[in-house]
Amino acid sequence: MYIAPVSAVSPSGDHAAAYFMTFDQAVDAWILHWRGQGQQEIAVQLGTNALRVDAVLNERQHVGSRQKAQQIVHT
């Protein structure tokens, strides 16, 4: 599994949480979710926050990341 590096910081300049997630991070979020990790754990691992993870897992952002993750898991 590829864990994409954090590519941005929050508007306050805090390096603890990225302001947005990349598509690759969204794919990783799906894979981690399927492995049983909670949204907060996924957020910490990807360097973002749980709201961003929630937006991906509810397919409000990075539509198509679920299908890409399924392709990776099944190959």
Side-chain angles (χ1 to χ4, degrees):
M1 174 175 58
Y2 172 75
I3 301 292
V6 176
S7 60
V9 296
S10 68
S12 66
D14 180 9
H15 291 275
Y19 184 54
F20 64 90
M21 289 176 64
T22 66
F23 184 83
D24 288 338
Q25 287 173 316
V27 171
D28 291 338
W30 280 107
I31 294 169
L32 294 170
H33 173 70
W34 293 331
R35 290 183 178 171
Q37 290 193 14
Q39 290 183 14
Q40 185 61 39
E41 293 172 299
I42 295 169
V44 169
Q45 189 164 351
L46 297 179
T48 190
N49 66 52
L51 291 175
R52 309 247 181 268
V53 174
D54 181 73
V56 168
L57 298 181
N58 284 296
E59 300 186 270
R60 292 188 307 271
Q61 290 185 334
H62 295 300
V63 175
S65 60
R66 180 180 186 172
Q67 290 77 17
K68 179 69 175 178
Q70 287 173 331
Q71 291 172 352
I72 291 170
V73 168
H74 296 302
T75 58

